[in-house]
Every structure is written in structure tokens, then in C-alpha cells.
């Protein structure tokens, strides 16, 4: 098997296993740790898909911000882990069956897909915007600031709302 | 004068009373109150003057037939608001505006002090407008509009004392009974449109010949088209002109104030039926069968009402039955083809009947509202003007020679006798008997009311007085008409007939001139018999009527109860209809179906909501599970489909 | 050469694990983490598609998804804090007041 396949398998297996572990741990802190490992390996997967910028984004935002947020909340709530208490609902086999069924259907539906090249490839962007050299972040930046400027600004508004909302909701009322 | 100015004048004739109505009804209660008569009288006075101008134009041969503006234009159906002012319209204009004006003046005195003074004048103006639109229209739709509008005003005015149950009931009765006739009338108008393609008089009548030969199957019988149309149109006349069997509303309509009775139920509205038959003469002429029906209906009505009038005690009711009877004469005349004579009788009748009603109103005014003539008597020395005008009107209606009623009634009877139609002689016999009865009951009123001893209470005796000038002047003016109007129609040199000839033609005469004079003599004999009979029975020997009523009590009861027509209608028509309405419509349709839907739909929604709300249990996992299952289901469908 | 199918299978497996985690855990924080898992699965599939279709717009979408996921995680955790103050538990079975 080629190198790329090997790296894919490595990342894929770690992702799947850490994900499974994550949803089955009793202690939330353990789950968060496994989530961290998973995020790193997803970023690795991105690297192999020529998406360096997204990989960096994944690590910085997901692993660096969201995960840390989860950790802070867990510490803030001071969640004690009760060894005797069940951590999953009684009906978890049904959920397992449902998720397996879902996986089967999706896999069957999407396998054997043929995709063709689109008109927003890095090369075509280079040609239309005349960018020297082809780097992923440049391409993303070019598109983001010209064609998708409106969603970009909207996203900043969403973040503003999230900030204010989080403060307002979590404030300790006197 | 130019066509534009004439057109403007004609527009103003109905428009001014309408304006008077609008002003009085909106501002009347708060601002105008008891000065309402100024507006009402001014508008009708202006209309009267303009009507005289219009009459002069028509007299000089200037017939106006023009549209004012297009009212409906829908595909092939075009109807305009327009005026047709020919000889017939001109005569009706004179009648309507003159009587309306005099009634308006009379009402100032009669309705003095009433709470709804402004309302009365508003409705009188509205009625004048409606009647004018009816007679001036140049198409059937405008006729129908005026027809319904005068019915509506009649309802308003009969039920003027709306707080009295009998009055509001009478108003309802008038409107509903008229609806029966109007239903047939409406069908007739629709049929005219379907066969002739137009509702305009000129177009319809000039093409009326195409109806000949067309026949239609009605309930298994083959009927010619002109007959069907004519009969349907006549339905309207039966209702509006109170012919048998739809005459029942007119006597009850006496619940309204007396000026209303004089204007609407003597001179104008009830004559709309006769006017319509005369206007549609081209169609009626095409159907001898329908004309026979018309003539017989008129004659039978005349006799029927005349017999009832013999025994009534209420002064207004006697005059009401007399009106029904005289309307029967007019309808009879149209039925034998003597349209001109019928309109002439309409013309003279307007004067003496309005006079009789207004005189009765004057008597009621003096007697404090008393209506029973057996409780009156000897009033002639207290109310001379009323007495003399009433007497003149009675002579006129009874057919005293040289008075208006003599000429007009005689003309009808002569033309019926000489008409040569199959029913001519039959209706003549009925008309002759009715003439005798007319003379009798008219003088019955005179002798019981004005002659002899006063039979009322002492309290009433103290209040007896002649009516004010606003009431007596119209009486005098009408008396002039009641006497003099006949001179327009002297047999042989009838100015009236000559005037109407271009429009209504000359009826056929199948008898000799000698017969004409013989009939005139017969008329005088009938008058004398009626007069002397009434004088003997009601002036000299009052015990005879009492003994007759006891000896022939079956006949007396039949006549006193108006042949039980109201009771028959009540049992045959009203009770079943009410039963159907209450048990079927209210019970089933309204109660079960509509209530079921209106109540059931919200209940159903409530029940569905009650079921659906159980889906939301509050547990997040169940929501997630639902989402998961739905997603899986949709995925599977998409996967299977594609 | 890694075929596209493998990435799709990986992404759908990750997604289904996220679904399983959401439906079977009682701790609300773990449920939120499962949601992040599902979002990541979508991101993987998007980047894979954009790589194989040579279309940069997939990455743009991923950019926005990450942004919105961050915002949503912040708000969600703030709500959990608020609810924890009321109910003193992170057990989602005990937060059932919004019922029909």
C-alpha cells in the first residue's frame, strides 16, 4: 500500500477508535481528552487532502478554543463522577441499531460516486485572479473576500452574538 | 329647447326628490327636525314644474328616448340608465308629481308634531324618486329597479309607526306578498332578454314580432312565447296592483299614515302594475290568451273587492277595497285592449281616490283617530270643506254624469262590451254589477259619516273641528281634478284618447253607437240605484242593515271576513313555510350541518392537538430519536428512488 | 491513491458514532460533544469532496461550519451552565419542563 493510503488508515483508525471511546467514557474529562486526540488526527487527514489552512483552523479553533471551552465548563460545574450511576440511557441498543442502520444506508447510497472537476479549482482561480504560486490559503482567501464576503461578515456577526449570548446566559444573577 | 337642456330637465325630475331624501335622512334627526317639510315640498314642487314642462314637450310631439349613462356592460348584456318620455310617461308624470305635491302639503298639517317628521318626508321623497324612475325608464331593468324601490318605500311608509306591531306586520306583509308577484315579473324580464336579446323598450318592442310562432313547453303544456312572457309580466302587476289573489296586502297597508295611503295605495304605486301592462302593450297584444286572463282577473277582482267593501266598518279599509276594485277596472280595460281607457281611469282615479283618502284622514284627524264609521255621523256641519270635497269625490267614483269617474268608467265598460274578444261580454257583466256596488258603498260611507246623528263619545264631539288650511287646500285642489279631469275624455271627442293614440292605438269597436248611449244610460241607472239604496238603508232606516246582517248571517260573515282569504293563505302557505323553515332549515341545515361544521372543526382541531401534543414529552432523547428515524426514513426513500 | 469512497465511509461512520453518542448518553455535555463529532464528520466529507472535485468552495464551507460550530458550542455551554444552576444536575432526563 502506498504511503498516502497508510497515513489515511492510521488517521482513520485513530479517529474512529477515539470517537468510540469518547462517547462511551463515564468521566467527561476522559471524553474531552479523547476528543482532543481525534481533532488532531482529523487535522492530519486534512493535511493529506491539500487543505493546510483548514487543518490549521481545525487545530486552532476546535482543539484550541472549543475543546478548552468544554474543559472549562466541566471544571466550572465541578462534575463529580458517580461510579454507581449509569451513564447511558436504558435504551442504548436501539440507538446503536439506529446508527448502524444509518451508516449502512449512507454508505450504500454514496458508494461508487463519480465526481468531476469543478470550476473553482486552485488552477482556475490562479488563472482568473492572477495569483502567483498556488497555495491553499491564498486561494481560500481570494474566494472568501470576493465572492463570499457577505457570509464572511455575517459569520463575524454570529460570533458577536455568541459572545454576548454566552455572557448573558452564564452570568451569575445577584 | 335643445336636447341637452331637456335631458337635464328630465334628469332633475327624479334627482331632486332623491336629493331631498338624502338631505332629510342624514341631517333630519339632529338638525332639520320639524322643518323637514321645506326641503321635501321644495323638491317635489320643482319636480312638478319640470314635469309640466316635459308634458308640454310631449304634447308638441317631442318624444324623448335617450340613455344617460351605461350602467351594465357585460358581454352581450348592455343596460343603460335612460329615459323614455312619451305620452304614457307624460300622463304618469303629471299624476305622480301632482298627487305627490299635494300629499306633501297635506302631510305638513297631518303629521304635525310627530317624532319622525323628518323621516316621513324623507321617505315620501324617496318614494317619489322611485316612482319617477319607474315611469321614466326606457328599459326593463330600470322598470324593475323602480318597481322594487317603490315596494321598499311602501314597506318603510306602511311600517312608519314601527313600534306598533300591526303596522310593522303590515309592512312586512306588503313586501312579502309583492315578492311573490315580483318573482314572476323578474322571470318575465329575464325571458324577454333571452328571447329578444335586449332589455331596452324600443328595441324589444320593435322586434317583438319574432316572438310570434315560438312556443315553449311549460309543465307539460305547450304555451306560445308571448303568452308566457305576458303572463309572467302580469304576475308583477297582480302583486303590485293588488289583484286577486295577491290583493291581501292592500287593506292591511292602511296601518300606515293616511297621506301614505293616498299617495301610494291610491294614486301611484298600485298603478304601476297598470302602467307596466300598458307599456308592454306590444307584447300583450301578441297574446289574446294572456289578455283574456288579464281581463278576467281584473273583472273578478273588481267584483270581489266591491262585495267586501259593502260590509266593512273601518273607513280607510272601505276605501282600500274600493281601490282594489277600481284597479280591477283598469286591469280589465287593458285586458280587452283598451289601454288608453285604462290609463284614463288611472288618471281620474288618482284624483278622486286620493281625495277620498285625504278626506278620510281629515275626518280621523278631527275624530282623534277613530276609524269606525258607525261611530261617526253628522260631521258635515263641523267640517264643511271636508264634507263637500268628499261628497264630490264620492259622486265621481260612483259615476255621476259629467264627473270624472263617470267618463272614465263608462269608457271602460263600453269598450269591454264592444271589444269583440271572447271574454268581453263576461267582464262587462261583472263590471256593471261592480259599478252598482261602487255607488252603494261609496255613499254608505258618506251617509254614515257625515249625515245623521253623531254616534261618537261626547269627548270626541268637543274636539270636532275643520282641519287646518294645509290639509284643506289640497282637498279642494284635488276636488277640482276629481270633477274636471273627466272632461279630457268625453266620448267621441276624447282629447285624452287622441293624445295617447300614437302610442297605444285605438281599440276595436264591434258595437253600434246607439249601444254606447244605451250603456251610458244604464250607468246612470246604476248610479241612481246605488245612491238611493244607500240613502234608504243608511240615512233613513238604519235597522234594515242590522236585520239583513242577522238574517243572511252566512253571507255577512263571509263578506265581513273578506272571504277568509287571509286565513286560507295562512293555513296553506304561511304555516307550512314556517314549519319548513323551523324544522328543516333551522333544525337541520342550520342546527346540525352548519353548527356541526362551525363547532365540529374547532373541536376536531382541539382533539388533534390533544393527540399531537403528546409527541412532545420533554425528553431530549426522544426528539433526537425522532429526528434520527425521520432522517433514516428519508434517506432510505431517496436511496430506493434513485 | 486513496479513493473517495473511503473518505465517505469514514465520514459517515464518524457521523453515526456521533448520532449514537447523542442518543445514548445522559450527560448533556457528552451530548454536545457528540454534536461536535457530527460536525466534524461533515467537515471531513466536505474537504474530501472539494479535494476530489478540485473545487475550493468546499473549504470555504468548512471555514464557515467551524465558525458556526464555535459559536454554537459557546452558547450551548452557557445554557448548560444556566440550567445546572437551576437543577444542579447535568442529567438531561431531569430537564423535562418543556413538555406538551
Amino acid at each position: 500500500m502506498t504511503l498516502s493510503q497508510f497515513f489515511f488508515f492510521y488517521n482513520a483508525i485513530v479517529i474512529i477508535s477515539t470517537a468510540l471511546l469518547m462517547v462511551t467514557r463515564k468521566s467527561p474529562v476522559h471524553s474531552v481528552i479523547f476528543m482532543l486526540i481525534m481533532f488532531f488526527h482529523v487535522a492530519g487527514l486534512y493535511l493529506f487532502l491539500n487543505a493546510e489552512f483548514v487543518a490549521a483552523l481545525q487545530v486552532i479553533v476546535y482543539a484550541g478554543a472549543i475543546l478548552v471551552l468544554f474543559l472549562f465548563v466541566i471544571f466550572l460545574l465541578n462534575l463529580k463522577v458517580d461510579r454507581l450511576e449509569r451513564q447511558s440511557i436504558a435504551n442504548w441498543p436501539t440507538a446503536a441499531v439506529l446508527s448502524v442502520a444509518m451508516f449502512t444506508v449512507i454508505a450504500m447510497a454514496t458508494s461508487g460516486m463519480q465526481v468531476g472537476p469543478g470550476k473553482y479549482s486552485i488552477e482556475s482561480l490562479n488563472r482568473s485572479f492572477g495569483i502567483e504560486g498556488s497555495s491553499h490559503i491564498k486561494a481560500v482567501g481570494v474566494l472568501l473576500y470576493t465572492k463570499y464576503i457577505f457570509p464572511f461578515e455575517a459569520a463575524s456577526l454570529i460570533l458577536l452574538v455568541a459572545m454576548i449570548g454566552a455572557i448573558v446566559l452564564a452570568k451569575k444573577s445577584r | 329647447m335643445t336636447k341637452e337642456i331637456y335631458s337635464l330637465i328630465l334628469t332633475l325630475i327624479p334627482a331632486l326628490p332623491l336629493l331631498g331624501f338624502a338631505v332629510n335622512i342624514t341631517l333630519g334627526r339632529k338638525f332639520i327636525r320639524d322643518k323637514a317639510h321645506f326641503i321635501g315640498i321644495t323638491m317635489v314642487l320643482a319636480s312638478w314644474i319640470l314635469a309640466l314642462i316635459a308634458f308640454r314637450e310631449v304634447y308638441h310631439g317631442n318624444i324623448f328616448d335617450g340613455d344617460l349613462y351605461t350602467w351594465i356592460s357585460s358581454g352581450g348584456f348592455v343596460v343603460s340608465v335612460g329615459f323614455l318620455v312619451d305620452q304614457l310617461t307624460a300622463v304618469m308624470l303629471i299624476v305622480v308629481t301632482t298627487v305627490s305635491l299635494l300629499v306633501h302639503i297635506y302631510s305638513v298639517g297631518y303629521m304635525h308634531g310627530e317624532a319622525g317628521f323628518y323621516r316621513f318626508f324623507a321617505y315620501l321623497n324617496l318614494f317619489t324618486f322611485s316612482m319617477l324612475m319607474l315611469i321614466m325608464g326606457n328599459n326593463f331593468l330600470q322598470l324593475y329597479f323602480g318597481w322594487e324601490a317603490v315596494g321598499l318605500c311602501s314597506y318603510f311608509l306602511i311600517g312608519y309607526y314601527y313600534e306598533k306591531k300591526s303596522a310593522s306586520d303590515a309592512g312586512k306583509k306588503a313586501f312579502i306578498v309583492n315578492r311573490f308577484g315580483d318573482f314572476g315579473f323578474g322571470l318575465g324580464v329575464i325571458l324577454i332578454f333571452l328571447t329578444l336579446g335586449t332589455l331596452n323598450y324600443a328595441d324589444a318592442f320593435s322586434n317583438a314580432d319574432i316572438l310570434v310562432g315560438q312556443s315553449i313547453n311549460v309543465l307539460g303544456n305547450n304555451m306560445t312565447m308571448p303568452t308566457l312572457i305576458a303572463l309572467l309580466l302580469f304576475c308583477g302587476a297582480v302583486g303590485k296592483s293588488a289583484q286577486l289573489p295577491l290583493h291581501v296586502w292592500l287593506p292591511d297597508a292602511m296601518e300606515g299614515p293616511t297621506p301614505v295611503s293616498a299617495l301610494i295605495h291610491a294614486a301611484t304605486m298600485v298603478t304601476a302594475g297598470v302602467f307596466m301592462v300598458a307599456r308592454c302593450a306590444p307584447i300583450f297584444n301578441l297574446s289574446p290568451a294572456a289578455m283574456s286572463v288579464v281581463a278576467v282577473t281584473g273583472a273578478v277582482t273588481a267584483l270581489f273587492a266591491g262585495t267586501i267593501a259593502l260590509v266593512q266598518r273601518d273607513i280607510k279599509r272601505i276605501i282600500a277595497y274600493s281601490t282594489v276594485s277600481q284597479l280591477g277596472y283598469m286591469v280589465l280595460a287593458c285586458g280587452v285592449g283598451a289601454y288608453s281607457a285604462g290609463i284614463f281611469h288611472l288618471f281620474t282615479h288618482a284624483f278622486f281616490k286620493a281625495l277620498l283618502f285625504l278626506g278620510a284622514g281629515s275626518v280621523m284627524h278631527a275624530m282623534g283617530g277613530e276609524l269606525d264609521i258607525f261611530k261617526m255621523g253628522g260631521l258635515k256641519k263641523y267640517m264643511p270643506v271636508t264634507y263637500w270635497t268628499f261628497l264630490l269625490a264620492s259622486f265621481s267614483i260612483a259615476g255621476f254624469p259629467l264627473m270624472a269617474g263617470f267618463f272614465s268608467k263608462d269608457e271602460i265598460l263600453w269598450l269591454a262590451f264592444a271589444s269583440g274578444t271572447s271574454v268581453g261580454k263576461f267582464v262587462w257583466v261583472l263590471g256593471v254589477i261592480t259599478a252598482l256596488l261602487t255607488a252603494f258603498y261609496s255613499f254608505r260611507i258618506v251617509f254614515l259619516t257625515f249625515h245623521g246623528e253623531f254616534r261618537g263619545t261626547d269627548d270626541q264631539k268637543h274636539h270636532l273641528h275643520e282641519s287646518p288650511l294645509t290639509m284643506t287646500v289640497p282637498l279642494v285642489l284635488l276636488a277640482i281634478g276629481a270633477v274636471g279631469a273627466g272632461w279630457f275624455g268625453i266620448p267621441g271627442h276624447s282629447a285624452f284618447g287622441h293624445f295617447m293614440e300614437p302610442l297605444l292605438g285605438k281599440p276595436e269597436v264591434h258595437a253600434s253607437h246607439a249601444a254606447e248611449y244605451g250603456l251610458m244610460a244604464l250607468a246612470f241607472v246604476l248610479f241612481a240605484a246605488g245612491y238611493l239604496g244607500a240613502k234608504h238603508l243608511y240615512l233613513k232606516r238604519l235597522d234594515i242593515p242590522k236585520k239583513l246582517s242577522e238574517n243572511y248571517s252566512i253571507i255577512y260573515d263571509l263578506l265581513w271576513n273578506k272571504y277568509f282569504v287571509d286565513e286560507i293563505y295562512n293555513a296553506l302557505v304561511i304555516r307550512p313555510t314556517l314549519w319548513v323553515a323551523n324544522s328543516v332549515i333551522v333544525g337541520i341545515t342550520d342546527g346540525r350541518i352548519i353548527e356541526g361544521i362551525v363547532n365540529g372543526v374547532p373541536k376536531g382541531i382541539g382533539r388533534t392537538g390533544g393527540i399531537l401534543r403528546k409527541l412532545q414529552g420533554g425528553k431530549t432523547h426522544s426528539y433526537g430519536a425522532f429526528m434520527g428515524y425521520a432522517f433514516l426514513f428519508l434517506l432510505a426513500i431517496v436511496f430506493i428512488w434513485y | 491513491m486513496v479513493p473517495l469512497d473511503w473518505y465517505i465511509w469514514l465520514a459517515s461512520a464518524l457521523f453515526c458514532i456521533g448520532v449514537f453518542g447523542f442518543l445514548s448518553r445522559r450527560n448533556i455535555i457528552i451530548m454536545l460533544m457528540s454534536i461536535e463529532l457530527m460536525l466534524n464528520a461533515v467537515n471531513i466529507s466536505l474537504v474530501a469532496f472539494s479535494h476530489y472535485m478540485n473545487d475550493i468552495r468546499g473549504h470555504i464551507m468548512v471555514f464557515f461550519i467551524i465558525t458556526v460550530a464555535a459559536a454554537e458550542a459557546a452558547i450551548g455551554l452557557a445554557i448548560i451552565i444556566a440550567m445546572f444552576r437551576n437543577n444542579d444536575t447535568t442529567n438531561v432526563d431531569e430537564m423535562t419542563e418543556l413538555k406538551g
Side-chain angles (χ1 to χ4, degrees):
Chain A
M1 97 166 63
T2 64
L3 192 62
S4 51
Q5 282 181 343
F6 169 73
F7 273 119
F8 171 78
F9 275 125
Y10 162 69
N11 279 322
I13 289 172
V14 173
I15 287 173
I16 299 289
S17 41
T18 49
L20 275 169
L21 284 169
M22 188 181 109
V23 295
T24 51
R25 292 302 95 203
K26 214 180 263 208
S27 156
V29 181
H30 294 171
S31 297
V32 170
I33 301 300
F34 284 124
M35 193 157 82
L36 176 68
I37 300 175
M38 189 197 85
F39 282 158
F40 274 116
H41 285 88
V42 170
L45 210 57
Y46 289 159
L47 282 173
F48 272 93
L49 285 171
N50 283 353
E52 314 91 51
F53 175 59
V54 180
L57 210 58
Q58 171 89 2
V59 171
I60 295 171
V61 175
Y62 259 113
I66 295 176
L67 204 111
V68 173
L69 192 57
F70 270 107
L71 268 177
F72 273 141
V73 170
I74 292 171
F75 294 153
L76 187 64
L77 301 183
N78 213 357
L79 288 176
K80 300 283 194 283
V81 180
D82 189 352
R83 297 275 154 201
L84 296 166
E85 183 186 274
R86 278 190 64 83
Q87 30 93 326
S88 359
I89 64 172
N91 214 0
W92 66 267
T94 318
V97 168
L98 176 65
S99 60
V100 169
M102 216 184 274
F103 172 69
T104 322
V105 174
I106 295 177
M108 284 200 323
T110 57
S111 61
M113 248 194 300
Q114 307 290 331
V115 290
K119 56 177 189 157
Y120 283 94
S121 59
I122 299 182
E123 292 79 21
S124 69
L125 278 175
N126 282 346
R127 268 181 270 119
S128 41
F129 288 100
I131 305 170
E132 286 304 315
S134 56
S135 86
H136 176 244
I137 184 163
K138 256 199 195 146
V140 168
V142 156
L143 209 54
L144 204 54
Y145 278 90
T146 53
K147 214 160 153 41
Y148 295 101
I149 187 70
F150 181 66
F152 186 70
E153 300 297 332
S156 76
L157 266 175
I158 291 176
L159 288 172
L160 178 68
V161 168
M163 258 199 298
I164 297 176
I167 293 172
V168 166
L169 283 167
K171 213 161 60 139
K172 239 199 187 113
S173 50
R174 219 89 53 71
Chain B
M1 67 177 81
T2 65
K3 195 151 189 236
E4 283 78 26
I5 298 184
Y6 190 42
S7 172
L8 179 67
I9 289 179
L10 291 179
T11 315
L12 282 179
I13 295 181
L16 287 174
L18 183 64
L19 179 65
F21 161 73
V23 170
N24 262 333
I25 202 77
T26 49
L27 302 175
R29 193 152 72 97
K30 284 201 114 181
F31 301 111
I32 309 182
R33 264 172 295 194
D34 51 351
K35 306 271 184 305
H37 55 285
F38 285 117
I39 297 173
I41 292 180
T42 315
M43 294 299 163
V44 179
L45 181 65
S47 279
W48 180 70
I49 296 173
L50 294 175
L52 287 174
I53 296 178
F55 183 82
R56 199 191 64 151
E57 287 294 311
V58 176
Y59 188 72
H60 290 308
N62 178 12
I63 310 287
F64 182 91
D65 183 357
D67 292 336
L68 249 61
Y69 90 114
T70 313
W71 182 9
I72 302 173
S73 174
S74 161
F77 180 57
V78 177
V79 171
S80 310
V81 174
F83 294 133
L84 169 64
V85 182
D86 57 5
Q87 293 89 342
L88 180 60
T89 311
V91 167
M92 294 297 293
L93 273 176
I94 299 294
V95 168
V96 171
T97 51
T98 311
V99 178
S100 183
L101 179 63
L102 292 174
V103 164
H104 273 79
I105 298 175
Y106 182 90
S107 304
V108 176
Y110 190 82
M111 302 296 287
H112 181 72
E114 286 273 346
F117 192 71
Y118 74 95
R119 203 159 46 94
F120 189 75
F121 278 94
Y123 288 146
L124 277 186
N125 268 8
L126 182 66
F127 171 79
T128 311
F129 160 74
S130 313
M131 191 70 199
L132 288 169
M133 287 299 277
L134 197 162
I135 58 181
M136 287 172 75
N138 72 347
N139 58 69
F140 278 98
L141 200 57
Q142 209 169 323
L143 178 70
Y144 194 79
F145 162 74
W147 199 267
E148 297 298 326
V150 295
L152 181 68
C153 294
S154 172
Y155 165 77
F156 283 142
L157 286 164
I158 295 174
Y160 176 74
Y161 299 116
Y162 57 82
E163 278 142 15
K164 212 164 104 173
K165 181 159 201 305
S166 56
S168 68
D169 282 349
K172 268 192 289 183
K173 183 172 181 175
F175 199 77
I176 294 177
V177 172
N178 258 285
R179 277 323 274 159
F180 277 90
D182 295 347
F183 178 64
F185 185 53
L187 286 178
V189 170
I190 293 175
L191 202 51
I192 287 181
F193 179 69
L194 285 176
T195 51
L196 295 171
T198 172
L199 286 180
N200 192 300
Y201 288 151
D203 298 333
F205 294 149
S206 56
N207 291 336
D209 316 319
I210 64 171
L211 291 175
V212 178
Q214 287 185 25
S215 73
I216 187 168
N217 200 312
V218 174
L219 299 172
N221 298 332
N222 251 336
M223 211 186 273
T224 60
M225 190 63 81
T227 308
L228 182 62
I229 296 181
L231 284 179
L232 285 175
L233 291 175
F234 185 58
C235 283
V238 167
K240 191 66 78 185
S241 295
Q243 300 297 296
L244 222 64
L246 295 178
H247 65 287
V248 291
W249 64 273
L250 192 53
D252 282 22
M254 297 299 115
E255 294 281 342
T258 313
V260 169
S261 307
L263 178 61
I264 298 187
H265 307 125
T268 45
M269 186 182 93
V270 293
T271 57
V274 182
F275 165 79
M276 185 269 291
V277 174
R279 174 61 80 207
C280 298
I283 295 182
F284 277 90
N285 280 334
L286 293 173
S287 165
M291 287 182 70
S292 305
V293 171
V294 170
V296 170
T297 309
V300 172
T301 305
L303 184 60
F304 183 82
T307 54
I308 299 181
L310 289 177
V311 301
Q312 297 297 317
R313 295 169 71 118
D314 180 336
I315 187 174
K316 280 180 72 176
R317 230 154 261 247
I318 302 175
I319 305 179
Y321 280 109
S322 167
T323 308
V324 176
S325 186
Q326 298 303 307
L327 286 169
Y329 269 114
M330 295 178 219
V331 171
L332 189 166
C334 292
V336 295
Y339 300 100
S340 181
I343 299 296
F344 185 50
H345 195 56
L346 192 160
F347 180 67
T348 58
H349 172 263
F351 290 107
F352 54 69
K353 193 47 65 66
L355 179 53
L356 283 175
F357 268 115
L358 294 184
S362 187
V363 166
M364 281 168 61
H365 188 79
M367 294 281 294
E370 178 65 65
L371 288 168
D372 190 341
I373 55 177
F374 280 92
K375 296 209 179 89
M376 306 177 191
L379 291 179
K380 73 172 177 187
K381 50 181 183 286
Y382 300 98
M383 327 176 64
V385 178
T386 309
Y387 168 63
W388 281 103
T389 52
F390 199 91
L391 189 65
L392 282 174
S394 301
F395 272 115
S396 193
I397 193 176
F400 186 74
L402 306 182
M403 294 229 173
F406 170 74
F407 287 120
S408 59
K409 209 191 308 186
D410 195 60
E411 176 100 8
I412 293 178
L413 289 174
W414 156 241
L415 286 169
F417 182 80
S419 69
T421 65
S422 49
V423 297
K425 299 277 192 315
F426 172 65
V427 300
W428 174 77
V429 170
L430 296 184
V432 161
I433 303 175
T434 313
L436 174 64
L437 297 177
T438 309
F440 183 78
Y441 64 64
S442 302
F443 283 101
R444 176 172 175 259
I445 304 179
V446 173
F447 289 129
L448 278 176
T449 312
F450 294 101
H451 289 245
E453 290 294 319
F454 183 70
R455 291 179 291 272
T457 66
D458 276 330
D459 198 34
Q460 285 170 331
K461 195 166 183 174
H462 286 180
H463 284 111
L464 286 176
H465 60 282
E466 182 60 89
S467 304
L469 266 178
T470 52
M471 286 168 69
T472 50
V473 166
L475 291 178
V476 171
L477 292 173
L478 282 174
I480 299 175
V483 172
W487 292 96
F488 290 113
I490 315 173
H493 307 281
S494 169
F496 194 90
H498 190 70
F499 179 66
M500 300 288 264
E501 200 178 321
L503 183 67
L504 295 175
K506 238 175 140 74
E508 304 172 2
V509 169
H510 296 272
S512 64
H513 265 300
E516 192 174 354
Y517 292 115
L519 288 182
M520 259 198 263
L522 177 62
F524 180 70
V525 165
L526 294 169
F527 162 79
Y531 175 79
L532 292 172
K535 188 165 182 179
H536 185 69
L537 281 178
Y538 292 103
L539 193 59
K540 303 217 168 79
R541 305 277 312 276
L542 273 165
D543 53 312
I544 302 188
K546 219 166 149 55
K547 259 202 289 198
L548 279 174
S549 71
E550 277 153 26
N551 287 349
Y552 297 97
S553 60
I554 301 178
I555 302 181
Y556 181 78
D557 275 336
L558 192 64
L559 295 179
W560 171 249
N561 283 307
K562 311 161 264 159
Y563 293 93
F564 296 104
V565 175
D566 277 319
E567 285 75 10
I568 296 174
Y569 282 165
N570 195 22
L572 280 181
V573 178
I574 298 177
R575 309 264 304 272
T577 311
L578 282 176
W579 178 84
V580 169
N582 274 330
S583 54
V584 174
I585 308 293
V586 171
I588 299 181
T589 324
D590 213 29
R592 302 246 181 87
I593 299 179
I594 297 186
E595 287 291 312
I597 294 176
V598 167
N599 281 344
V601 167
K603 268 207 212 127
I605 293 180
R607 249 183 272 131
T608 317
I611 296 173
L612 283 178
R613 73 174 173 90
K614 302 224 170 81
L615 284 172
Q616 193 172 18
K619 299 184 61 172
T620 321
H621 287 128
S622 67
Y623 303 154
F626 274 129
M627 277 193 257
Y629 289 130
F631 179 57
L632 188 60
F633 178 66
L634 287 171
L635 262 182
I637 287 185
V638 169
F639 177 51
I640 295 173
W641 226 278
Y642 296 102
Chain C
M1 216 29 243
V2 182
L4 178 60
D5 285 355
W6 295 5
Y7 282 105
I8 304 304
W9 287 335
L10 170 65
S12 41
L14 200 57
F15 186 83
C16 296
I17 292 175
V19 170
F20 171 67
F22 183 79
L23 291 178
S24 74
R25 294 300 301 261
R26 290 201 303 187
N27 195 337
I28 186 123
I29 298 185
I30 308 294
M31 285 168 79
L32 261 175
M33 285 201 271
S34 314
I35 295 175
E36 299 300 328
L37 209 57
M38 291 191 254
L39 282 166
N40 269 285
V42 169
N43 283 349
I44 292 178
S45 76
L46 268 172
V47 172
F49 270 118
S50 105
H51 180 258
Y52 280 90
M53 286 168 72
N54 225 347
D55 194 334
I56 207 78
R57 288 182 299 174
H59 298 163
I60 309 282
M61 187 109 182
V62 168
F63 175 85
F64 286 118
I65 291 177
I66 292 178
T67 311
V68 172
E72 164 234 332
I75 300 276
L77 288 167
I79 292 176
I80 291 172
I81 292 177
M83 290 202 70
F84 185 81
R85 292 218 189 92
N86 285 337
N87 298 14
D88 211 30
T89 174
T90 54
N91 196 341
V92 84
D93 289 337
E94 311 204 359
M95 302 175 189
T96 58
E97 274 164 52
L98 265 180
K99 59 158 99 189

